[in-house]
Amino acid sequence: MRFHLKIRTMLLAPKLRFSSFPLHFHYTTKLRFSSSPLQFSPWSGLQSWRESPLNEDRFWGPNGPQPLLHSQHSSSHTDASNQPPLLEASGSSLAELGALVLSTSDPFTKSKLSHLAFSRWRNENLPIGLCQPPSRPARPPNPQLVSPKEIPVPKNSGLPLNAYMLHNLAHVELNAIDLAWDTVVRFSPFYEILGEEFFADFTHVADDESRHFVWCSQRLAEIGFNYGDMPAHNLLWRECEKSSDNVAARLAAIPLVQEARGLDAGPRLVQKMVGFGDHRSSSIVARIAEEEIAHVAVGVYWFNSICHKMNRAPCSTFKELLQEYNLELKEPFNYSARDEAGIPREWYDSSSTNKQELEENLNNSQQLSEASDAVYDRLACIISVESEHSNLNRPSE
């Protein structure tokens, strides 16, 4: 009993706990809200993304991403002589491999370990396992981490605009590796409830992010700069820490707020790169923004799944979590990308109609009414049976 109480605590914040949480939480490929008029439609590419082969395109060639050739590999950052041996990402479970990634400070080794961990998970049928994540991921000496207000503006950064933007993006992608692995490791004790596919999805996300980081780092090196050449903020990890005891809040904070913000910023960043005259960098940014749709879609899918199992309305639950965890939504929104990823506009845009919330509340009222009717009918049946039994046992006059 104490185990399941702890699980309820981890899945939802104190204000959102419910005694109706099921003892077994099985993953299904389709979410059916049969008792509701609302139908959740996942991103159309979600299943093909899940089933896609291991992506080895970790080098940005003349015509886009391609596998890393030996000559490119030996001259890249990933073979720095001061790196520790990888030991083929040693570990006997997915959670152990994730903890190893989180405990690795060198960003290029972290990226490579992340890819090796995903490869082993795909190829060796490893168990999820259990492991305690570090309190915070290991970081290199540079970049210096400062508050967002202390990040220099482009003209004071010492970097040209394209390098400035690439550095910021590289920092986001490095943090994203850790955010995905922390989700895998931190919630590994609850794999029987969350289901194996939950961990498969976020391990896949971590692998994508590791590839994005090396693309940004490669391009930075091509124009004469390196990751760590300017200060960076720790805002993304602070958002992760706030949701360390709550998987629903983690999904709200990271995929549905932070990564969705990346969908909003992607096209603007591409245009700035084009305006600067750096078309190669703009192509990298555009590809990353395109691939981030899958990561937001994964968050939408699992947030809906958890709300469904908890018998909670996703829209109102998301808004409650925004308040509970002080999560901020920032305009302007990239509606087309958010729509493609499957985020209903009612979740984040106050100017949209409240139709979904009204329908959800109506459905909840209908469910309560149906439950009340069922209880009434059951009581009436019991009373009728007891009355008949009493009449049968009553002595005849």
Side-chain angles (χ1 to χ4, degrees):
M1 182 65 180
R2 291 177 62 191
F3 175 74
H4 293 297
L5 285 174
K6 184 178 180 183
I7 288 174
R8 286 202 295 274
T9 302
M10 290 289 286
L11 287 171
L12 287 174
K15 292 183 180 178
L16 301 174
R17 295 179 201 153
F18 301 94
S19 59
S20 60
F21 191 81
L23 297 182
H24 299 287
F25 184 112
H26 294 295
Y27 166 77
T28 57
T29 56
K30 295 182 180 179
L31 290 179
R32 299 186 182 275
F33 296 85
S34 56
S35 60
S36 169
L38 297 172
Q39 296 295 322
F40 166 59
S41 299
W43 171 52
S44 60
L46 184 58
Q47 198 58 34
S48 61
W49 175 81
R50 285 171 168 162
E51 296 171 355
S52 61
L54 197 65
N55 193 328
E56 300 289 355
D57 293 340
R58 303 179 66 81
F59 182 82
W60 197 269
N63 301 311
Q66 65 182 52
L68 195 65
L69 303 177
H70 179 73
S71 58
Q72 296 159 345
H73 187 277
S74 60
S75 61
S76 70
H77 284 84
T78 55
D79 267 352
S81 59
N82 60 349
Q83 289 179 0
L86 294 177
L87 301 178
E88 290 303 311
S90 59
S92 58
S93 71
L94 184 65
E96 289 178 3
L97 293 175
L100 177 62
V101 175
L102 291 166
S103 302
T104 300
S105 59
D106 180 81
F108 301 100
T109 307
K110 182 188 291 286
S111 173
K112 186 169 185 178
L113 279 173
S114 183
H115 183 56
L116 286 172
F118 182 58
S119 301
R120 288 194 59 195
W121 162 253
R122 275 282 185 95
N123 298 328
E124 298 179 23
N125 196 29
L126 295 177
I128 303 294
L130 299 172
C131 199
Q132 182 71 25
S135 58
R136 59 180 53 201
R139 283 283 180 264
N142 290 312
Q144 179 187 2
L145 297 180
V146 299
S147 72
K149 293 181 180 179
E150 295 178 275
I151 300 294
V153 296
K155 67 178 181 180
N156 297 330
S157 68
L159 277 65
L161 182 61
N162 59 339
Y164 180 92
M165 292 187 290
L166 279 170
H167 191 282
N168 287 340
L169 184 55
H171 184 66
V172 168
E173 299 301 333
L174 183 67
N175 273 270
I177 298 171
D178 286 327
L179 294 174
W181 279 115
D182 184 83
T183 298
V184 169
V185 179
R186 188 168 302 278
F187 298 109
S188 60
F190 311 104
Y191 67 91
E192 290 185 356
I193 286 180
L194 292 169
E196 183 177 290
E197 196 73 23
F198 175 90
F199 299 94
D201 280 351
F202 282 95
T203 303
H204 194 161
V205 168
D207 186 53
D208 287 351
E209 307 292 17
S210 72
R211 190 173 64 257
H212 298 167
F213 174 76
V214 295
W215 288 347
C216 293
S217 300
Q218 175 195 334
R219 182 58 184 150
L220 270 173
E222 288 174 355
I223 59 178
F225 298 93
N226 295 297
Y227 176 67
D229 281 351
M230 62 171 279
H233 63 74
N234 204 28
L235 181 62
L236 294 173
W237 184 252
R238 292 214 315 266
E239 294 296 300
C240 183
E241 286 181 316
K242 288 196 294 188
S243 58
S244 61
D245 64 344
N246 182 334
V247 71
R250 172 63 59 87
L251 295 172
I254 305 305
L256 300 183
V257 173
Q258 295 293 349
E259 294 205 74
R261 192 173 293 167
L263 299 184
D264 303 330
R268 298 196 302 271
L269 189 55
V270 169
Q271 289 305 312
K272 287 181 180 179
M273 289 291 192
V274 171
F276 189 79
D278 189 348
H279 294 277
R280 182 168 167 82
S281 294
S282 73
S283 297
I284 293 173
V285 174
R287 180 60 176 267
I288 290 174
E290 178 186 338
E291 293 190 3
E292 292 293 341
I293 289 175
H295 305 170
V296 177
V298 163
V300 175
Y301 181 91
W302 287 108
F303 189 83
N304 272 285
S305 177
I306 288 172
C307 288
H308 176 57
K309 293 297 182 181
M310 294 296 295
N311 198 27
R312 290 287 294 182
C315 181
S316 57
T317 301
F318 179 67
K319 291 181 177 181
E320 287 174 20
L321 288 168
L322 293 181
Q323 284 190 315
E324 176 85 16
Y325 287 83
N326 193 27
L327 303 172
E328 185 180 2
L329 298 175
K330 294 181 180 180
E331 298 185 63
F333 301 123
N334 182 351
Y335 290 107
S336 61
R338 285 170 172 261
D339 289 348
E340 185 177 355
I343 310 179
R345 294 189 185 187
E346 292 82 5
W347 289 18
Y348 62 88
D349 187 2
S350 58
S351 67
S352 296
T353 65
N354 291 323
K355 180 180 178 182
Q356 181 169 345
E357 274 194 299
L358 289 172
E359 288 180 342
E360 287 176 344
N361 292 334
L362 177 62
N363 178 62
N364 288 339
S365 298
Q366 289 173 341
Q367 286 180 333
L368 287 173
S369 176
E370 290 169 2
S372 298
D373 290 345
V375 171
Y376 177 83
D377 292 343
R378 178 63 177 161
L379 286 173
C381 181
I382 291 172
I383 291 171
S384 175
V385 170
E386 288 184 348
S387 177
E388 291 178 6
H389 182 71
S390 176
N391 290 334
L392 289 172
N393 292 334
R394 183 180 299 167
S396 58
E397 296 180 357

